[in-house]
Amino acid sequence: MSLSENLFYFLSFVAILSALMVVFSKNPIHSVLYLIIVFFALTGQYILLNAQFLAVVNIIVYAGAIMVLFLFVIMFLNLKRETEPPAKPKVLQFAAVISGGLLLLVIIASLKTLEPYKIQSNVKGDIGLVENLGKVLYNDFLLPFELASILFLAAMVGAVMLGKREGGERNF
């Protein structure tokens, strides 16, 4: 195994472990911090794949902007212990454990049939550069790109409409 393969597997392990900690962590601040680790591990994988543009965009957009937004939302939440709902009934907890175990069993069974992915050594070195990404995006994937932009525009308009204050309403 080469150094890049070892680094790829290490970053994958860190990303999966951090993603699990995002889900299982009880403190929302810790969850956000684990999510930042996931983004940095994915950025490392982009760099290993020679996709420097995606790595920079991932750091700027996800680890920078969206994580700051998550932290602001968490700071505005009321995280006092008195306001937490009571614990779930034991039957519901038991059903959740059984469901999680069955899901894990299905995932393991499906992964057993997979063959390991072989990294191609004849990949061009400039495949992840901006010029090639733009060519592929505007030639081969033009329609999905335009549909995604319309979807983002609709989401922004919806967010503005939801955030708009009504007359006489106080949010804080």
Side-chain angles (χ1 to χ4, degrees):
M1 242 191 237
S2 68
L3 177 65
S4 63
E5 288 181 49
N6 287 334
L7 195 56
F8 175 80
Y9 287 122
F10 173 72
L11 289 173
S12 299
F13 174 75
V14 168
I16 290 171
L17 183 67
S18 298
L20 287 174
M21 292 304 292
V22 168
V23 174
F24 294 121
S25 179
K26 291 191 176 202
N27 190 342
I29 302 290
H30 293 163
S31 293
V32 169
L33 294 176
Y34 286 123
L35 192 57
I36 291 172
I37 293 172
V38 170
F39 287 144
F40 276 105
L42 291 179
T43 299
Q45 289 184 339
Y46 286 142
I47 291 171
L48 283 176
L49 294 172
N50 202 16
Q52 294 90 0
F53 176 72
L54 290 177
V56 170
V57 168
N58 190 36
I59 289 293
I60 292 172
V61 173
Y62 289 106
I66 292 179
M67 283 298 104
V68 169
L69 181 66
F70 277 6
L71 284 175
F72 278 125
V73 168
I74 288 172
M75 287 185 335
F76 284 125
L77 291 176
N78 188 6
L79 298 176
K80 295 178 182 174
R81 293 249 180 230
E82 308 89 50
T83 59
E84 289 184 4
K88 306 266 187 221
K90 294 287 183 191
V91 174
L92 196 58
Q93 290 178 352
F94 182 71
V97 168
I98 294 297
S99 300
L102 289 174
L103 178 65
L104 183 65
L105 186 68
V106 168
I107 289 173
I108 288 172
S110 65
L111 289 178
K112 267 182 117 175
T113 59
L114 289 178
E115 293 183 19
Y117 179 74
K118 296 178 182 172
I119 297 174
Q120 299 173 353
S121 61
N122 58 356
V123 175
K124 293 179 181 177
D126 59 348
I127 195 166
L129 298 180
V130 178
E131 181 181 351
N132 296 330
L133 183 65
K135 284 179 183 174
V136 170
L137 194 62
Y138 287 111
N139 289 330
D140 299 337
F141 298 103
L142 182 62
L143 181 63
F145 180 74
E146 292 298 328
L147 291 175
S149 65
I150 291 171
L151 182 67
F152 283 133
L153 179 64
M156 284 191 290
V157 169
V160 168
M161 293 306 291
L162 287 175
K164 186 178 172 184
R165 288 187 183 180
E166 297 294 326
E169 180 180 307
R170 294 182 63 188
N171 290 338
F172 295 103

